[in-house]
Amino acid sequence: MIDKFDQPIYVTRPVMPDYELYTERLKDIWDSKWLSNNGEQHKRLEAELVTYLKTPYISLFNNGTTALTVAIQALRLQGEVITTPFSFPATTHALAWNNITPVFCDIDPETMTIDPTKIEQLITNRTTAILGVHVYGIPCHVKQIQDIADRHGLRVIYDAAHAFGTEINGQPISSFGDISMFSFHPTKLFHTSEGGGLTCKDSHLKERIDLLKNFGIKNEFEVIMPGINGKMNEMSALMGQCVLGLVEKEQEKRQKIRQQYALEFEMVEGVDVVDVPNNVRNSQQYMVARIDEKKFGFSRDAIYDELKSYNVYSRKYFYPLISDYPCYRQLSSANEQFLSQSKKVSEEVLCLPFYGALSEGDVTKISQIIKGLGE
Ligand code: T4K
């Protein structure tokens, strides 16, 4: 008999900096009376993230969705962009807000990222870019995608919302493609309470991004493009500095939790705890399990409901597919017959509670609830 958790257990909890440290440093902001518009804290965080993410340039934003919307503007994309339906709504919405037609491409069932072998057949004379998502921090097939883009003169943007600190063979994830977008939402391992960032390798592109996120204002008397307000404020930038120092410790804790889940389910047929390939540094953003109903005997949805009855709130990231939303399902590329792998994966995945403050006992109990299903 397993007791219900007294307190809800969520899929994630934010890393919280030391309260005294944050409030002590908040005093600097108070005294300066400078709360936004490229203030001192903003400049500091930008500099720290350039080093941490090993990127030449980063621009900070008020959230990842605005950042992605601006990235598309910055590259002057139009027409059609090939993307994955297996993501958070923001990925495709950022295209729609730019009047671009999303073209959905099926995913590789192994990595759950856009399948490079299916991209080329979707390219038309209207295609301007490929927008991939490093889902759960698992990198896209970056080399194949770049080869396709080079052959067809396309731009490459990565939604790296889950990939803070991810590296492939020691190479930072931000070094691939033209622009990468990071989300700094509280559900993300590194956060600024709300926030986001765009990394790029080209100083002119960085200038254009910075103009676009600040109304297109060049100086007091010149507005040179129709920009938006995407700026990060000083309280968020300070939060980011305080959280950044805690990221590695949190990743270590999460790595242990991942190992514990993996051990718990090692002998359980039909529950596969996903990890990144050996050559990849894991961002430790999510703990996703793939459920094979035929082998396990119970569906992903049954596990989700069972956990809920014990006060445990797992999440079906990402179900339904974006291509199934009413606003996109009329698109020809949204036809289910072309997206069979995406469909299958979206019905198998379940993100289990995963954050450093989760105790060993909690993980044992959550695993027991799943293993005990049907008993
Ligand atoms: N691209 C991808 C691939 C993304 O995953 C996302 C965001 C984006 C783009 C867009 O980036 P942003 O514009 O958001 O920066 C959450 C987040 O709101 C969203 O940022 C994230 N992906 C997505 C995967 O998850 P919900 O609707 O599931 O959030 P919510 O409020 O249900 O939170 C989940 C759990 O987290 C809660 O049950 C408890 C915990 N939580 C949440 C918040 C907000 C806390 O403990 N504290 C908190 O402050 O979307």
Side-chain angles (χ1 to χ4, degrees):
M1 170 77 186
I2 305 169
D3 292 332
K4 191 173 167 174
F5 282 94
D6 295 335
Q7 299 295 323
I9 301 282
Y10 295 115
V11 67
T12 190
R13 304 285 13 225
V15 172
M16 296 306 293
D18 181 67
Y19 180 72
E20 269 71 39
L21 175 72
Y22 184 74
T23 47
E24 194 184 306
R25 291 194 52 191
L26 196 59
K27 179 121 190 7
D28 294 342
I29 300 179
W30 237 254
D31 293 343
S32 74
K33 297 188 172 55
W34 195 274
L35 305 185
S36 188
N37 291 16
N38 202 22
E40 194 52 41
Q41 305 303 329
H42 182 284
K43 285 185 196 138
R44 278 192 208 172
L45 183 62
E46 258 199 17
E48 286 180 16
L49 286 175
V50 156
T51 308
Y52 192 92
L53 292 173
K54 302 180 190 157
T55 178
Y57 303 106
I58 188 165
S59 297
L60 304 181
F61 281 79
N62 47 11
N63 61 62
T65 307
T66 313
L68 191 56
T69 308
V70 165
I72 293 161
Q73 287 264 327
L75 293 175
R76 297 183 173 85
L77 303 184
Q78 300 173 358
E80 296 173 358
V81 169
I82 299 172
T83 189
T84 167
F86 185 65
S87 185
F88 193 64
T91 312
T92 306
H93 288 350
L95 294 171
W97 274 62
N98 277 294
N99 263 329
I100 287 171
T101 307
V103 176
F104 296 111
C105 178
D106 209 358
I107 57 172
D108 167 357
E110 198 61 39
T111 61
M112 299 177 274
T113 61
I114 194 165
D115 184 345
T117 66
K118 294 185 178 155
I119 292 177
E120 249 167 329
Q121 65 208 50
L122 296 170
I123 296 175
T124 70
N125 56 10
R126 295 190 69 223
T127 310
T128 51
I130 301 164
L131 168 55
V133 178
H134 304 304
V135 71
Y136 315 122
I138 301 166
C140 292
H141 296 278
V142 289
K143 186 171 178 323
Q144 283 129 292
I145 290 173
Q146 196 57 58
D147 286 349
I148 296 168
D150 291 345
R151 269 204 303 279
H152 296 271
L154 304 178
R155 298 293 211 152
V156 178
I157 300 187
Y158 286 115
D159 178 334
H162 304 173
F164 189 84
T166 296
E167 293 180 354
I168 310 174
N169 293 324
Q171 224 181 311
I173 200 74
S174 57
S175 61
F176 303 99
D178 294 290
I179 300 184
S180 296
M181 180 281 282
F182 294 86
S183 165
F184 305 150
H185 184 265
T187 54
K188 300 296 177 291
L189 183 124
F190 167 75
H191 72 89
T192 58
S193 66
E194 275 275 6
L198 292 182
T199 57
C200 67
K201 296 166 277 190
D202 172 350
S203 63
H204 296 294
L205 190 53
K206 154 82 173 153
E207 266 172 46
R208 188 168 153 77
I209 290 169
D210 284 345
L211 278 166
L212 281 167
K213 77 167 195 190
N214 187 29
F215 313 99
I217 295 176
K218 188 177 175 198
N219 59 46
E220 225 180 322
F221 306 107
E222 282 179 285
V223 177
I224 58 171
M225 57 184 81
I228 199 166
N229 182 356
K231 292 168 276 123
M232 179 181 284
N233 69 60
E234 289 289 275
M235 282 68 69
S236 286
L238 174 61
M239 177 65 96
Q241 290 168 57
C242 295
V243 172
L244 192 58
L246 306 174
V247 161
E248 265 164 32
K249 192 111 215 106
E250 175 72 11
Q251 281 173 326
E252 279 168 28
K253 287 184 192 160
R254 291 188 186 195
Q255 170 65 14
K256 289 209 178 90
I257 294 171
R258 183 182 299 282
Q259 281 165 351
Q260 195 191 339
Y261 273 123
L263 264 177
E264 288 282 358
F265 292 106
E266 202 178 14
M267 310 303 278
V268 180
E269 250 216 302
V271 178
D272 184 16
V273 168
V274 176
D275 208 340
V276 293
N278 285 336
N279 63 338
V280 172
R281 179 176 185 267
N282 197 329
S283 63
Q284 305 295 354
Q285 177 57 60
Y286 288 109
M287 220 312 299
V288 62
R290 290 176 68 168
I291 316 301
D292 182 331
E293 185 179 350
K294 284 204 185 88
K295 288 188 184 151
F296 183 56
F298 294 90
S299 67
R300 180 274 310 272
D301 292 352
I303 297 176
Y304 172 89
D305 291 340
E306 182 75 353
L307 287 171
K308 206 169 181 178
S309 74
Y310 283 89
N311 220 3
V312 178
Y313 299 91
S314 61
R315 296 300 287 262
K316 301 176 195 178
Y317 296 136
F318 289 104
Y319 173 89
L321 292 175
I322 301 176
S323 47
D324 282 338
Y325 301 169
C327 49
Y328 300 121
R329 66 176 164 229
Q330 80 288 356
L331 295 170
S332 54
S333 67
N335 191 321
E336 227 180 271
Q337 79 182 89
F338 306 123
L339 303 173
S340 55
Q341 298 300 340
S342 309
K343 182 100 188 146
K344 184 171 177 290
V345 169
S346 78
E347 283 163 6
E348 283 176 0
V349 286
L350 189 63
C351 286
L352 298 176
F354 189 56
Y355 48 91
L358 204 62
S359 75
E360 205 180 317
D362 294 339
V363 177
T364 307
K365 196 162 145 176
I366 293 163
S367 308
Q368 277 170 352
I369 295 167
I370 299 172
K371 290 193 269 191
L373 245 170
E375 278 177 4

